[in-house]
Amino acid sequence: MACNSSTCNSSGCYKGYVEEEQPKPNTKAAVNGGNSCQNLCVKCKVNEPVCCGIGGENSRFCKDCFKNNLYGKFKQAVTYNAMITPPDKVLVAFSGGPSSRVVLQFVHEMQYKAQKNYDANKDKSLPVFGVGVAFIDESSTHSFTSQHIEKAIEDIRLIVSNLAPPSKELFVVPIESIFSSDGIDGKERLKELLDAVSDVTGKEDLLSHLRILLLQKIASENGYTRIVLGSCTSRIACHVISATVKGQGYSLSADIQYVDSRWEIPVVLPLRDCPAQELNTLCSLDGSLKIVELLNGPCSGINGLVSSFVKVLQEENPSRECTIVRTAGKLTPFHFNRVPEIHDSNVPSATRRHQKRYTLKPNGSLSSDSFCPICNSPLKKSNFPSSLRSHGSQQNPDLFASACSSCQFQILPKDPSLMEEFLSLLPQQMITKAKHGDQGNFSLLREQIQEFLFSDGENEI
Amino acid sequence: MEADSKPKKSGARLCCVCNQNRAALKRPKTLEQICRECFYAVFEEEIHQVILENQLFKPGERIAIGASGGKDSTVLAYVLSELNRRHNYGLDLFLLSVDEGITGYRDDSLETVKRNELQYGLPLKIVSYKDLYGWTMDEIVKMIGLKNNCTFCGVFRRQALDRGAALLKVDKVATGHNADDIAETVLLNILRGDIARLSRCTSIITGEDGPIPRCKPFKYTYEKEIVMYAYFKKLDYFSTECIYSPNAYRGFAREFIKDLERIRPRAILDIIKSGEDFRISTTTKMPEQGTCERCGYISSQVTDAFTLPDTL
């Protein structure tokens, strides 16, 4: 059935169409005339190159040009998508790894430049955006020594305090704080919750959903308007494959855009175009970019398998991750994949015009009002009837019926009798979403008939 | 739920469906313990449901089953003729085989198909490259080597199937593409940036706007289960790879899917579901599928099956 030839070009074969991927990096040195060119940075042609980008021999850079190349990609992502504007307060999620170290550094440098401009400017109309850092301490979910954790946190404090001026607030928050304090020990509850999930992949994914909820909580409680994640091309490529493998093809395009505004505090991914390999190289070149050893264990289950698969592909062709992300980038995003419109008059009108021009036009027919209460992924419209039907018909049907099929399979308990207990262990934010899910459907229906209704009071559901 | 790795208990384990017979196997798709009879029943019933839900056939239609002699097409021929009888689909079934003229491969598998014709009572039509074009693949490879041989073979085979189908005057062609094949293709299209194919590759019926529509009744059937069915039913099939195919990119995806299936069997169906659900805009620029100027059959943008032989 399958064509097994790597050279096949027939139209019946997957290779039939002109391939849209980048060509394999040329291992021969660029023919530029003369040996001297092979020993110069490809960008400035002045300094000696010290490292290679993804393009192999064709992308040998000196340290400065290499860094500027990456910073350029970051800056373009921020500007093009209007990620950060003057009145914003930006919370950088910091895990200690190379990607989050680089994104923190770049955000800091951007802020530092803005501060200098502000100080030099007589007209102080444009404030400098604020930056905070959040580190989520997940030590309660695995067994590192407390010494190890404390040392890591100390290192992080040092890193953040050195990134001043402008100074940045650091939040070190244990993952169990996601549960609002109501007398129950957070650590115990977290352990019970994770133990209630039998699937290894489900456990890992549930933890990452809790992580994002906690970041939202920290940002919201402290007045932050944006959350910056250091997600790089490589991580996104892995997510594309793992979401496909988990049956989440519909919601995939929501997770991989530059901007994700379905949350209360929009989440932005300025390093989307930067491969992990280059970020790692930058950290090893630049001594000031100290990494804190990752405190979380390696992924297992599906996530681990996908990670090794992408690694194998990447070894075969270093531009594979980019191709994966580019392909997935052709999927239609959702209406929430852009920053909310800027109404602030403090923001220069040029920026507002720019944002209007480049943000996606919302496509009403494709918008979806319901989201999975566990992973917040947009649900296909066909899920409407099931949650409406089950509303109020059993004791706690809402959670199962309103969740996406992936969460139904890998996170929620198989045994319906265990559902109520599971519900009691989940953080409040997820429960609220489960209840709101139904009301979301009703409000969508109401919107469609609004013009024919007479008075609000009589027609409240 | 992840695969159970506990050691087998001693003592009889019963089939989970009939609860009477001893379980003979574990279903690769669901890991259920099941006896042979119930396995046959559930295997056949699932395919029957796929045919009904997707309205693959209409009563009175003439259907050509693309028969290579391999396990997929052999099992397809067997099951389709069985279901046709059992559920009165009212179909006229034929076996359609393409002889590319590859010694040591196709000549052996064709013997299998000829035996299938007798075993299943389905009339067989063989269309050969030699008759259609005047060349065999062996001759082509002698001329052009192993570099682009699949280019020619793929275009020719597709045409040959269409021509054979036209000669048989059938309404549709059914092929044995299984769930593993389709999941691999979804992954491959993501890896290779082929958004156009990605939007089409999960369709159970294709080519409706062309000369002969094709359908894939095994779209949700696991390869392992096809093998199991053929094994227990002692069906006659031929299994080797084409001698001209070197190791290829699809191998990466295949390995990965095998590993996936081990820890989560339903992942194969989940990949297909993702493929069906991908939000691909209909206004996305897609390369067009060309048709040959002279005869109207599908051809790639680059090659024309009439001019190819001229270039040889």
Side-chain angles (χ1 to χ4, degrees):
Chain A
M1 291 299 128
C3 169
N4 274 326
S5 169
S6 61
T7 56
C8 181
N9 275 321
S10 82
S11 63
C13 170
Y14 62 85
K15 288 173 67 72
Y17 287 100
V18 172
E19 278 174 26
E20 303 196 29
E21 56 176 285
Q22 293 170 16
K24 261 192 181 173
N26 198 345
T27 46
K28 298 195 198 111
V31 179
N32 248 334
N35 278 336
S36 53
C37 291
Q38 295 174 22
N39 289 333
L40 289 181
C41 165
V42 301
K43 179 80 180 161
C44 63
K45 304 207 188 344
V46 171
N47 299 328
E48 252 192 59
V50 297
C51 59
C52 284
I54 286 259
E57 287 303 313
N58 276 349
S59 60
R60 292 172 59 76
F61 291 98
C62 66
K63 182 173 154 191
D64 286 337
C65 290
F66 186 72
K67 182 187 165 186
N68 289 337
N69 180 267
L70 280 173
Y71 185 79
K73 288 183 192 166
F74 162 83
K75 189 89 204 300
Q76 183 172 36
V78 171
T79 319
Y80 196 86
N81 297 282
M83 283 183 188
I84 301 174
T85 50
D88 278 327
K89 259 181 88 179
V90 162
L91 184 67
V92 178
F94 186 74
S95 67
S99 306
S100 56
R101 181 65 188 90
V102 172
V103 82
L104 177 57
Q105 184 68 28
F106 285 178
V107 168
H108 161 68
E109 287 183 15
M110 215 176 104
Q111 187 194 33
Y112 183 75
K113 285 184 190 135
Q115 183 70 56
K116 277 175 75 179
N117 286 340
Y118 180 81
D119 292 339
N121 212 332
K122 282 192 212 126
D123 165 27
K124 308 268 185 203
S125 60
L126 281 184
V128 179
F129 63 92
V131 176
V133 182
F135 170 73
I136 303 207
D137 174 5
E138 292 179 31
S139 49
S140 57
T141 61
H142 40 68
S143 50
F144 289 108
T145 62
S146 59
Q147 215 180 3
H148 189 135
I149 309 300
E150 277 158 26
K151 169 84 177 48
I153 294 179
E154 263 317 299
D155 288 343
I156 294 174
R157 280 195 203 285
L158 197 58
I159 290 173
V160 175
S161 63
N162 283 340
L163 288 176
S167 67
K168 296 158 183 55
E169 201 176 355
L170 170 64
F171 302 91
V172 176
V173 188
I175 182 76
E176 54 266 21
S177 323
I178 187 62
F179 304 114
S180 42
S181 45
D182 51 5
I184 301 172
D185 183 25
K187 274 193 190 155
E188 255 318 299
R189 183 167 166 183
L190 180 65
K191 184 173 184 307
E192 264 188 71
L193 175 60
L194 292 179
D195 284 346
V197 179
S198 51
D199 185 292
V200 169
T201 310
K203 232 190 277 269
E204 278 176 16
D205 288 353
L206 178 58
L207 199 49
S208 64
H209 304 322
L210 295 176
R211 200 180 295 142
I212 258 282
L213 279 181
L214 184 52
L215 284 171
Q216 289 287 320
K217 185 176 175 201
I218 299 168
S220 166
E221 285 173 358
N222 293 281
Y224 285 88
T225 56
R226 292 284 184 270
I227 294 178
V228 168
L229 297 182
S231 305
C232 60
T233 309
S234 319
R235 180 180 279 264
I236 294 176
C238 287
H239 182 75
V240 170
I241 306 290
S242 59
T244 302
V245 158
K246 292 169 191 167
Q248 296 171 312
Y250 179 73
S251 58
L252 172 56
S253 57
D255 308 328
I256 57 162
Q257 307 301 324
Y258 289 100
V259 178
D260 183 357
S261 297
R262 71 191 118 148
W263 308 93
E264 190 198 329
I265 313 289
V267 175
V268 298
L269 275 48
L271 291 188
R272 188 178 178 273
D273 303 316
C274 303
Q277 182 189 322
E278 292 187 356
L279 297 172
N280 286 340
T281 304
L282 184 63
C283 289
S284 57
L285 278 182
D286 189 338
S288 69
L289 292 181
K290 190 169 175 266
I291 306 172
V292 180
E293 276 306 316
L294 278 176
L295 300 173
N296 304 326
C299 290
S300 51
I302 305 261
N303 299 326
L305 191 60
V306 169
S307 191
S308 354
F309 176 54
V310 173
K311 191 152 167 269
V312 164
L313 294 176
Q314 189 69 6
E315 277 161 14
E316 186 264 344
N317 183 342
S319 58
R320 186 63 61 196
E321 284 168 354
C322 296
T323 308
I324 293 173
V325 174
R326 197 158 8 108
T327 314
K330 292 184 184 153
L331 301 176
T332 311
F334 289 80
H335 62 95
F336 48 74
N337 285 119
R338 54 195 185 110
V339 291
E341 256 192 54
I342 309 168
H343 294 293
D344 195 327
S345 52
N346 283 335
V347 176
S349 53
T351 308
R352 279 186 286 166
R353 277 200 307 273
H354 177 98
Q355 188 234 14
K356 262 201 159 89
R357 246 202 319 257
Y358 287 104
T359 50
L360 303 154
K361 293 189 178 38
N363 189 334
S365 61
L366 291 177
S367 73
S368 160
D369 264 329
S370 46
F371 296 86
C372 171
I374 312 256
C375 64
N376 208 21
S377 57
L379 300 172
K380 253 187 125 160
K381 282 234 167 84
S382 53
N383 279 331
F384 265 11
S386 62
S387 58
L388 281 177
R389 241 185 272 127
S390 66
H391 184 65
S393 59
Q394 290 159 251
Q395 262 185 336
N396 274 312
D398 305 311
L399 187 63
F400 189 82
S402 53
C404 69
S405 66
S406 173
C407 289
Q408 281 176 355
F409 171 72
Q410 65 172 18
I411 293 180
L412 297 182
K414 300 263 175 299
D415 185 351
S417 65
L418 298 173
M419 192 66 74
E420 204 172 326
E421 198 199 325
F422 192 78
L423 254 178
S424 68
L425 293 171
L426 286 177
Q428 192 55 41
Q429 294 92 322
M430 288 184 182
I431 312 291
T432 318
K433 264 207 207 99
K435 293 205 182 105
H436 264 243
D438 284 354
Q439 286 164 25
N441 301 345
F442 283 122
S443 72
L444 183 69
L445 290 177
R446 192 197 161 86
E447 248 178 69
Q448 293 175 7
I449 56 170
Q450 187 67 49
E451 53 185 304
F452 300 106
L453 298 178
F454 280 122
S455 93
D456 270 359
E458 288 164 15
N459 289 306
E460 282 305 348
I461 295 171
Chain B
M1 207 162 58
E2 319 233 301
D4 205 334
S5 54
K6 297 200 199 95
K8 283 203 164 97
K9 291 182 272 199
S10 57
R13 11 171 60 182
L14 291 181
C15 166
C16 66
V17 178
C18 65
N19 276 310
Q20 283 174 3
N21 301 331
R22 253 193 65 193
L25 59 118
K26 213 165 55 168
R27 262 199 91 179
K29 194 184 231 177
T30 56
L31 302 176
E32 291 166 315
Q33 296 164 197
I34 198 168
C35 70
R36 284 197 346 206
E37 297 305 319
C38 290
F39 173 62
Y40 299 153
V42 72
F43 182 83
E44 291 157 7
E45 181 60 22
E46 277 176 13
I47 293 164
H48 172 59
Q49 285 307 318
V50 167
I51 291 172
L52 288 186
E53 280 163 17
N54 294 279
Q55 296 165 8
L56 296 187
F57 307 122
K58 291 199 243 318
E61 276 184 334
R62 294 164 64 91
I63 308 291
I65 301 171
S68 63
K71 58 167 169 38
D72 296 323
S73 51
T74 297
V75 173
L76 179 63
Y78 180 90
V79 171
L80 260 190
S81 73
E82 177 54 38
L83 292 178
N84 190 31
R85 240 191 317 271
R86 188 186 301 165
H87 296 284
N88 298 317
Y89 290 163
L91 304 173
D92 261 331
L93 298 174
F94 300 86
L95 293 174
L96 177 56
S97 229
V98 176
D99 179 7
E100 305 99 336
I102 300 175
T103 329
Y105 169 64
R106 192 50 82 201
D107 44 0
D108 286 340
S109 69
L110 278 181
E111 290 309 309
T112 311
V113 187
K114 286 179 189 154
R115 286 197 298 276
N116 290 157
E117 178 184 26
L118 300 170
Q119 290 155 352
Y120 307 154
L122 302 175
L124 165 65
K125 173 106 196 108
I126 301 178
V127 282
S128 75
Y129 284 8
K130 189 75 186 178
D131 290 341
L132 282 178
Y133 313 117
W135 297 81
T136 63
M137 271 316 290
D138 285 345
E139 288 163 1
I140 290 176
V141 169
K142 271 202 204 86
M143 289 281 297
I144 65 165
L146 290 168
K147 189 68 181 175
N148 286 316
N149 47 309
C150 295
T151 307
F152 294 86
C153 191
V155 174
F156 287 162
R157 185 180 324 105
R158 183 174 223 169
Q159 262 229 16
L161 266 176
D162 285 344
R163 283 182 189 279
L167 285 169
L168 281 171
K169 295 197 192 19
V170 294
D171 304 292
K172 284 196 185 89
V173 172
T175 55
H177 289 94
N178 56 48
D180 297 52
D181 290 327
I182 296 180
E184 277 165 31
T185 306
V186 169
L187 283 179
L188 274 170
N189 287 330
I190 295 174
L191 299 181
R192 303 190 69 94
D194 200 333
I195 196 80
R197 280 218 168 78
L198 192 58
S199 67
R200 294 196 308 260
C201 66
T202 48
S203 302
I204 197 170
I205 301 176
T206 51
E208 277 161 305
D209 46 354
I212 308 275
R214 293 139 184 263
C215 66
K216 304 179 170 84
F218 280 172
K219 178 183 171 189
Y220 301 102
T221 313
Y222 280 34
E223 183 165 357
K224 278 211 175 73
E225 300 212 338
I226 292 173
V227 172
M228 230 168 222
Y229 189 87
Y231 171 76
F232 281 113
K233 285 263 184 182
K234 296 187 176 37
L235 296 181
D236 188 357
Y237 70 91
F238 176 78
S239 63
T240 37
E241 267 191 354
C242 176
I243 58 175
Y244 291 128
S245 69
N247 284 337
Y249 204 67
R250 192 173 269 263
F252 282 113
R254 185 166 289 162
E255 269 308 304
F256 173 61
I257 287 186
K258 283 206 171 84
D259 292 336
L260 258 186
E261 200 185 0
R262 233 171 275 136
I263 56 176
R264 188 188 280 190
R266 68 172 259 167
I268 294 178
L269 292 180
D270 283 341
I271 294 175
I272 298 176
K273 175 171 186 288
S274 286
E276 291 165 347
D277 291 347
F278 281 141
R279 288 158 57 95
I280 299 175
S281 158
T282 43
T283 57
T284 304
K285 248 183 102 189
M286 307 275 193
E288 272 184 18
Q289 205 160 43
T291 46
C292 169
E293 297 162 336
R294 278 153 77 173
C295 69
Y297 283 104
I298 288 171
S299 87
S300 85
Q301 299 160 310
V302 175
T303 58
D304 171 355
F306 283 108
T307 63
L308 265 184
D310 297 340
T311 70
L312 291 172

